[in-house]
Structures are given as C-alpha cells and as structure tokens.
Amino acid sequence: MKELKVFERNKIPLEVKILGIATYIQTSSVRRTAKILSEIHPVSKSSVHRWIKKFKKLPITTEKNKEI
C-alpha cells in the first residue's frame, strides 16, 4: 500500500487504515467501522469513508486459476 501512495497524510497509521478497509468490507458500515477502529486509534466515519473511496479507485485485478 505504501508503494501505491493511496493516502497522502500519515496522521493515522497505515495499519489502522488497512484494518479499517478490511473491517468495512466485512461489516459494510462506515459508522460501525469507525466505532471499532476508535478502540485502537481515534477515527471519524468521514475518514473511513474517504479511505473506502480511495480503495475502490485502485486498479485491482484478480486472476482465476485455470488449472482446477
């Protein structure tokens, strides 16, 4: 993630941001994700929302295994 330079600022640790994206994928709730992350580091729901928007813009490709 550091090489992709997705996040401009470093106010919140990168590990918390990645955990936030993973938690959002599981819960589908920005509010719940922010509440969970606030146990580790103070995070607003608007911050989580911005991270999700940036994550969705990443050019992520998946390759299917054709040998199965």
Side-chain angles (χ1 to χ4, degrees):
M1 289 293 274
K2 283 185 180 182
E3 292 83 27
L4 294 174
K5 299 188 182 201
V6 177
F7 308 109
E8 303 90 30
R9 299 180 65 196
N10 294 322
K11 191 173 182 180
I12 298 173
L14 181 62
E15 292 81 12
V16 174
K17 294 176 184 179
I18 294 171
L19 181 62
I21 291 169
T23 305
Y24 174 78
I25 291 169
Q26 292 291 320
T27 63
S28 297
S29 171
V30 174
R31 185 173 292 186
R32 247 186 253 146
T33 300
K35 189 174 183 178
I36 292 167
L37 290 177
S38 290
E39 297 290 325
I40 301 168
H41 193 278
V43 174
S44 68
K45 61 184 182 192
S46 60
S47 294
V48 174
H49 181 72
R50 273 186 254 122
W51 303 339
I52 299 306
K53 282 177 57 177
K54 289 182 181 187
F55 179 74
K56 287 182 178 180
K57 289 181 182 179
L58 289 178
I60 299 173
T61 59
T62 58
E63 295 180 21
K64 293 183 180 180
N65 190 353
K66 295 180 182 180
E67 295 178 18
I68 296 178

